[in-house]
Amino acid sequence: MHTSLSHRARIALLALGLSGCGDAGTGNARVHFNAQVGGIAEGGSNTVTNDQGWAVTLTEARVAFGPLYLNTITPLEARRGPLERLSDFVISPAWAHGETHLASGRIAAQVTAQVVIDARAPTLVSIPGGGDGINLDVESAEVWYYNSTAEGMNGAAIRVRGEATRAGVTVPFRGALVIDAGITGPQLTLDQARRVRGIPAALTVRDGGTLTVRISTQRWFDGADFSELAAQRSEGSADPVTFGLSDNVGRAFLNNVRRARDVFAVQFTD
Amino acid sequence: MQRHARLGATALGLMASFYLVGCGDTSPSAGDAGASDGGATVPADGALPERFNTPMTPAFGSMTNDPRAILVTVSGEAAATEGFAYSATPAEGDLVFVDGWQVNMTRVLTVIGNVRLNRLGNMPSDPSVVGAAVAADPRSFAVNLTRPGPIEGAGGEGSAWPLVAFRNGVNGLTLDPAQRYAFSYDVIAATAAAENVNLDADDVALYRTMITRGWSVYAEGTATYRGQAPEATSAFASFPTTVRWQVAYGAPAAYLNCNNPDNGAEGAPGVQPSANGAYRAQITFHLEHWFWGALQVEDPPLHFDPFAARAAVTGAQGEVTLDALQGVVPSNLQDRMMRPLGDRGGQTRGYTVRNPAALSFDTGGVSSVRDLRDFVAFSGRANAHLNGEGLCFVRPMGELRF
């Protein structure tokens, strides 16, 4: 299932004040490439224990993926080497490139169609139409969330269902990311809620190659304390509790699905 | 405290010391690497040389106006000296805490190094790229931003302290009034090699602590609750109404190729000398960043309740440091009793509460912010600008340290 977003994508590029792919005459070649997206890496687990001690197992994780843009701007946060990761044990690891001043940069390539995938599965889904652009070195990717009317999405950009367990307490839950005015607030505009910018993606697209994106659900519930949902359950009910912005699980989810690192992995192969 | 567009700053006068490095055709990143320590060995125990007890001779005065000179100052704007007053009906542009707090600063120490000019970069899509080095001062400067300075602040906003005067470029060449130069600097961890700009004896004692802890910032102040009285049964009723707060961390970073509000509405990067007098370039710190409720956006609403909620309380008095914010999840803010922190931000005009039962902060896609302590330091690292509102490209030079 896919939806063309080309019109919206063009509007988006105009909004960024970027010329898109018009530099073929200055030494860069126009290219067309394949694009595919999948969920968890081969052999990965759909159960993860978050930093609050809850073991979260997803039984559903549908993501409406696309559009995606490749940008010359540096990633929001740098990759850290083994020594830096080792130092996490003794000092806090917050370290970013760009920080609040991530500039607009320049879009070099784009994938404008949308497909719905099961992020619990490693299966790679081909994105109709692939991508196009110029073979300029890029440093980062942008993913924009749009709601989907595809089967099973019911107007959401992400739908999840699962259960969380800690100390003998199990909480079945479900929830969604729906991009609409309901998630905006004094600290978050609709555009900010939609865009995930500065995803590490140091690559150069080439004609006939393949862009592969993997979506990881491992950090989606970092910081979420499901005991708040447990308190909402009717005694004896097996129905899942629906999380939302009125509880901390929904707010953590809204933050975490927009992480520039840890959620999306982007690579290009010739 | 209000933000204004910058008015042109001119001054008359003379004299200053300066240091020049670099040469014509270096790589695009020349002049960007590393914080300066003046070549001195930095003691780990916070020991300071005798000379540090006396503030340096100012690089220039308020009347200095040498043609073609770039005079660099530093300021925390009016917020540093006057704080943030509370008003339920703030005027347009006023910075107020939406949850009813008045916040004052009593001390804000920080360290600036490696102030430099480069040729403008040739990659408009990558603002971190600058051209060949033109001039640089390898010294570092320890400054207390809460002390009123001898020079008018950019845009008439507060006051400023003189740091560096660039009167020539490499090899003694004069700076070209027909050129704009990329303006960059670093904020570095406290070092014994720094020049003392305006620190008194109490500041110096704290500066020693900054050295031993690897901090680049030490700030403290008082917050006083001026909003509506909370209901007696609400969690807010247990919060202190006066809080001594402290924010201290190490967040070394390079601030590159700063935009400049003086360059028209677009605020294009760079500073441009004038053939008719000196040009002022003010390194500006926006001290409200520590109290922002969102990352990756400019000027989100200011909140102090997340600090007050974690304060150690004696009667109506509270004390809070960043340590008390450790482990607090930004999307699940809680008080010391582990109760959800409500949002009472609707006390000022122009703020709409999303959920009165639960205030939460937006991490804006940042992965490495684990708790509220990280959040405050991460937000604070982006608080250094040029001439008021000019944003710089921020390139961290080390991990956050607490």
Side-chain angles (χ1 to χ4, degrees):
Chain A
M1 180 69 71
H2 75 276
T3 310
S4 170
L5 290 174
S6 55
H7 177 63
R8 285 193 298 221
R10 283 190 205 105
I11 292 172
L13 287 172
L14 287 172
L16 284 170
L18 302 172
S19 59
C21 308
D23 268 10
T26 60
N28 295 112
R30 280 187 176 279
V31 296
H32 185 273
F33 53 90
N34 306 306
Q36 56 187 4
V37 57
I40 192 167
E42 204 75 53
S45 170
N46 278 303
T47 296
V48 62
T49 300
N50 77 0
D51 56 352
Q52 304 298 307
W54 289 90
V56 181
T57 301
L58 294 179
T59 55
E60 177 185 354
R62 295 175 200 260
V63 179
F65 176 83
L68 171 145
Y69 306 102
L70 296 175
N71 198 321
T72 57
I73 200 74
T74 51
L76 177 60
E77 294 173 276
R79 293 186 184 87
R80 297 205 307 280
L83 285 177
E84 289 167 323
R85 288 197 294 272
L86 186 63
S87 72
D88 290 357
F89 291 107
V90 289
I91 51 177
S92 184
W95 170 294
H97 280 259
E99 302 208 345
T100 37
H101 303 149
L102 198 67
S104 58
R106 180 161 175 246
I107 303 294
Q110 59 187 358
V111 177
T112 57
Q114 186 185 61
V115 293
V116 174
I117 67 153
D118 178 359
R120 299 174 310 131
T123 311
L124 289 165
V125 175
S126 179
I127 301 174
D132 64 340
I134 52 176
N135 62 344
L136 196 64
D137 293 342
V138 299
E139 294 290 339
S140 64
E142 300 179 15
V143 171
W144 293 27
Y145 285 121
Y146 281 93
N147 299 332
S148 171
T149 55
E151 185 180 353
M153 295 305 293
N154 296 325
I158 301 177
R159 284 207 174 273
V160 295
R161 182 185 290 258
E163 62 179 30
T165 301
R166 185 177 73 179
V169 176
T170 296
V171 186
F173 67 86
R174 65 185 171 196
L177 172 69
V178 180
I179 303 292
D180 64 16
I183 63 173
T184 63
Q187 285 147 189
L188 185 69
T189 66
L190 203 58
D191 261 3
Q192 288 157 3
R194 182 188 305 287
R195 299 179 192 179
V196 184
R197 302 194 64 213
I199 300 166
L203 55 88
T204 305
V205 291
R206 301 188 195 287
D207 204 39
T210 301
L211 181 78
T212 301
V213 180
R214 283 208 176 275
I215 299 172
S216 170
T217 63
Q218 301 280 298
R219 306 289 299 275
W220 277 3
F221 291 98
D222 270 12
D225 182 356
F226 286 83
S227 58
E228 187 175 351
L229 298 190
Q232 296 175 19
R233 291 190 74 195
S234 305
E235 195 169 341
S237 172
D239 291 340
V241 184
T242 302
F243 66 71
L245 293 182
S246 62
D247 56 72
N248 85 86
V249 176
R251 294 191 298 268
F253 183 73
L254 176 61
N255 269 346
N256 292 327
V257 297
R258 295 183 292 119
R259 284 171 178 260
R261 208 175 57 191
D262 305 327
V263 172
F264 300 97
V266 182
Q267 64 175 7
F268 193 87
T269 51
D270 287 328
Chain B
M1 185 261 173
Q2 190 165 31
R3 291 269 157 70
H4 302 278
R6 187 177 186 224
L7 307 173
T10 56
L12 299 168
L14 54 118
M15 193 60 216
S17 62
F18 62 92
Y19 297 74
L20 299 169
V21 297
C23 51
D25 291 319
T26 50
S27 69
S29 59
D32 288 347
S36 60
D37 66 4
T41 301
V42 179
D45 61 358
L48 289 163
E50 182 62 27
R51 65 169 179 79
F52 194 84
N53 294 321
T54 306
M56 62 185 269
T57 302
F60 54 90
S62 61
M63 304 297 280
T64 304
N65 194 29
D66 305 343
R68 299 172 183 253
I70 302 287
L71 305 180
V72 181
T73 63
V74 60
S75 174
E77 297 189 321
T81 51
E82 300 168 15
F84 299 94
Y86 171 69
S87 169
T89 54
E92 182 76 23
D94 275 1
L95 294 177
V96 296
F97 282 72
V98 297
D99 47 12
W101 290 89
Q102 171 184 306
V103 176
N104 294 323
M105 322 269 169
T106 52
R107 194 187 322 266
V108 178
L109 309 182
T110 194
V111 192
I112 298 152
N114 198 19
V115 181
R116 55 203 182 272
L117 305 177
N118 289 71
R119 298 278 181 192
L120 289 173
N122 57 4
M123 292 181 64
S125 61
D126 186 348
S128 69
V129 174
V130 295
V134 172
D137 190 321
R139 296 176 298 171
S140 51
F141 304 91
V143 60
N144 182 347
L145 297 173
T146 62
R147 294 193 195 292
I151 292 175
E152 183 182 29
E157 181 70 49
S159 60
W161 287 88
L163 289 185
V164 174
F166 291 121
R167 290 191 172 80
N168 291 287
V170 63
N171 296 331
L173 294 175
T174 54
L175 297 173
D176 184 354
Q179 297 266 352
R180 281 210 314 265
Y181 299 103
F183 182 85
S184 308
Y185 56 94
D186 300 337
V187 171
I188 62 174
T191 165
E195 304 288 334
N196 176 354
V197 175
N198 61 358
L199 273 54
D200 66 13
D202 290 341
D203 295 336
V204 169
L206 283 164
Y207 190 78
R208 289 193 182 93
T209 304
M210 291 178 67
I211 292 174
T212 57
R213 299 291 293 269
W215 290 340
S216 54
V217 172
Y218 176 93
E220 61 182 28
T222 302
T224 307
Y225 185 68
R226 303 285 190 201
Q228 299 162 10
E231 291 183 16
T233 54
S234 78
F236 292 118
S238 66
F239 289 7
T241 51
T242 302
V243 179
R244 290 281 302 162
W245 59 269
Q246 181 199 91
V247 168
Y249 56 83
Y255 297 81
L256 304 171
N257 196 21
C258 301
N259 289 340
N260 187 351
D262 284 354
N263 295 334
E266 297 293 316
V271 294
Q272 187 163 359
S274 166
N276 301 318
Y279 181 82
R280 287 274 178 76
Q282 177 182 288
I283 296 170
T284 306
F285 288 89
H286 286 170
L287 305 181
E288 71 274 16
H289 278 227
W290 300 314
F291 308 105
W292 277 2
L295 303 179
Q296 304 305 323
V297 292
E298 277 292 311
D299 299 329
L302 307 180
H303 296 267
F304 191 78
D305 273 344
F307 285 74
R310 307 295 295 185
V313 181
T314 306
Q317 306 286 319
E319 288 192 8
V320 65
T321 69
L322 285 187
D323 287 346
L325 309 187
Q326 194 174 5
V328 179
V329 178
S331 57
N332 189 20
L333 298 173
Q334 296 178 328
D335 65 16
R336 290 180 72 85
M337 305 301 290
M338 308 305 286
R339 295 172 294 197
L341 176 62
D343 186 352
R344 57 175 170 176
Q347 301 196 45
T348 52
R349 191 168 59 192
Y351 179 88
T352 305
V353 174
R354 183 168 70 181
N355 179 2
L359 173 67
S360 67
F361 283 177
D362 191 89
T363 49
V366 177
S367 296
S368 53
V369 168
R370 300 169 305 179
D371 57 23
L372 192 54
R373 187 179 71 165
D374 283 354
F375 190 101
V376 171
F378 192 99
S379 185
R381 182 152 56 185
N383 74 352
H385 306 298
L386 170 63
N387 285 339
E389 305 292 328
L391 303 184
C392 314
F393 187 91
V394 184
R395 174 169 289 157
M397 301 191 303
E399 308 272 356
L400 297 180
R401 301 192 66 162
F402 296 102

